[in-house]
Amino acid sequence: MVDALPPTRPPARSRTRTWAVVAAACTGQFLVVLDVSVVNVALPSMRTDLGLSGPGLQWVVNAYSIAFAGFMLLGGRAADIYGRKRMFLTGLGLFTAASLAGGFAQEGWQLLAARAGQGLGAAVLSPATLTILTAAVPEGHARTRAIGTWMAVGAGGGAAGGLIGGVLTDVLSWRWVLLINVPVGVLVIAGAAVWLAEGRAGDRRRVDLLGAVLVTAGLATTAYGIVQTEAAGWTGAATLVPLLGGPALLGVFVLVEARAAAPLMPLRVLGVRAVSAANVSMLLLGSATFGMWYFMTVYAQNVLGYTPLEAGFALVPSSAAVFAGAKAAPAIMARAGAKPLAVTGALVAAAGFGWQSTMGVHGSYLTAVCLPGVLMMAGAGLASTPLATLATSGAAPGDAGLVSGLVNTSRTMGGALGLALLSTVAAARTGGSEDAAQITAGYALAFRTSAVVLVAGAVLMLFWLPGARATDGRGRPDTRAGGRGTGAGDEPAPAPALRCRDTA
């Protein structure tokens, strides 16, 4: 007689290690996204203490975002080649050291250099966080939940920036907006050194330096041109030269990659339908939603008369909504599928942006800030998780870091382009007027424009994202180019699972 054995469960130590890895990855992503927006409230204090000019003050924000976007693909590929743990620790170490330098800056140029260093560290760190997470968590519902947590924490970092920056600036000083990263970074580095297992995908081939230079220069130049639109407009030489030069450099990059023996970004990656469709959708989603925090903050302060700290607290429900949406997404995906959820999330966000576009000079907090903000951000949270899941599930193990970097690049560049475009739309409607009604009308037009972009994005997702089930030659879900991918009720069609210790 054979005794029935109870179902086996993963050892407690293994489960502890897995969630320690998830915690480290999510904390790293939180810091990266937080620092995109946390300095906004502190800018006036920085200007007073360091004597920054108007353009110099603008570059406190832009130095970070340009370095972040420009180096992210290189950071993603470096994680694949040199090791995910190594790049995680390197990126977080650089980010932490730059935060310390920025917190003690005595001159404007020192602060700008520190912000660029933070952006470079973030570009190395951010792709490694998602790659480590997908390597540590088995594919299926557990990985989808982990990605949902990663997306929620990242979204929460961007949403919490204004509130955290306001509290630190009012209670301590602007320097703590940067210095707060130091103890958190040191703690995560210590934990990651113990709990993370090294892993890489592919061989130790040399980095495609020419491709890295071209894509970094192309993205950075394009981002610089986007930034210049605020000061020089869309037709000024300072804008047109980089906006034309950046795409030209990216075109040369594509030609080089097509001929390189070991390219930085194999063009076959973009031939995977799930990867290309999810990244374009993520770019549109970021372009429409990223500017929400900026416009809601300036509307609350410039029109409704809120203080910076009050404006930060006013957006807490929106911050909670984006976190809740991203956390709820995995459970909904298990029932409805990734594609329907992404489309639905985009439409929910579009409804929120449309509602916000009815804002007035004497709007109440509940109907002009709180409820529309909750709808906008809940939709964004619902849409972002399935898009990230589809993109990373469609990648081969050797391209996991690259695709992670590509997802973050799409979101970051979409946000930068969208904010510049929406600011231009609002300024054109306002016409330089200081009248509260005119300013409000400009903001309202920006929100309507975002709603249109989101509806267009939902249509694109409906027809391009993988939908109905298709299988490959072995009966597994197929997400290759032309494949239909996952269907409603199915988990996203994954690449072979990455292992936490797949060392070369």
Side-chain angles (χ1 to χ4, degrees), residues 15-295:
R15 295 196 302 272
T16 300
R17 174 180 290 275
T18 297
W19 287 107
V21 171
V22 172
C26 289
T27 304
Q29 182 67 4
F30 179 85
L31 292 176
V32 163
V33 179
L34 175 72
D35 268 64
V36 175
S37 60
V38 74
V39 300
N40 289 337
V41 175
L43 290 176
S45 298
M46 292 177 177
R47 182 172 189 173
T48 300
D49 279 5
L50 301 180
L52 290 166
S53 63
L57 199 65
Q58 182 183 9
W59 279 101
V60 174
V61 178
N62 296 336
Y64 181 89
S65 60
I66 289 179
F68 186 20
F71 287 96
M72 209 177 312
L73 280 180
L74 181 59
R77 179 51 84 194
D80 287 333
I81 297 176
Y82 298 118
R84 298 153 190 160
K85 176 179 179 178
R86 181 179 300 173
M87 290 299 101
F88 180 92
L89 294 176
T90 299
L92 185 54
L94 177 57
F95 181 87
T96 303
S99 298
L100 181 65
F104 286 104
Q106 301 300 312
E107 301 287 344
W109 68 266
Q110 295 172 350
L111 178 60
L112 299 185
R115 289 289 288 168
Q118 281 186 304
L120 177 58
V124 176
L125 172 62
S126 186
T129 63
L130 184 55
T131 310
I132 285 173
L133 187 147
T134 55
V137 182
E139 63 181 283
H141 185 61
R143 182 182 294 179
T144 303
R145 286 177 56 204
I147 291 177
T149 301
W150 181 87
M151 292 296 301
V153 169
L163 177 59
I164 294 174
V167 171
L168 291 174
T169 302
D170 283 356
V171 175
L172 298 171
S173 78
W174 68 263
R175 296 183 182 277
W176 280 97
V177 170
L178 301 174
L179 291 176
I180 192 65
N181 295 325
V182 177
V184 178
V186 170
L187 183 63
V188 176
I189 288 171
V194 174
W195 288 105
L196 293 187
E198 185 58 279
R200 64 177 60 88
D203 56 28
R204 282 182 168 271
R205 60 190 183 278
R206 296 176 61 185
V207 171
D208 175 17
L209 291 179
L210 178 57
V213 169
L214 286 171
V215 72
T216 301
L219 290 174
T221 302
T222 303
Y224 176 79
I226 294 169
V227 167
Q228 287 297 102
T229 59
E230 184 176 347
W234 288 94
T235 59
T239 298
L240 287 178
V241 170
L243 281 182
L244 294 176
L249 288 171
L250 293 176
V252 176
F253 165 73
V254 171
L255 294 177
V256 169
E257 296 304 281
R259 293 174 170 80
L264 176 67
M265 189 182 76
L267 298 184
R268 58 179 167 74
V269 170
L270 297 179
V272 179
R273 181 177 176 181
V275 174
S276 56
N279 273 280
V280 172
S281 300
M282 186 71 83
L283 186 143
L284 290 175
L285 184 69
S287 69
T289 60
F290 181 79
M292 175 269 187
W293 303 110
Y294 170 79
F295 286 108

Side-chain angles (χ1 to χ4, degrees), residues 426-435:
R429 175 63 180 83
T430 303
S433 173
E434 297 294 330
D435 179 68

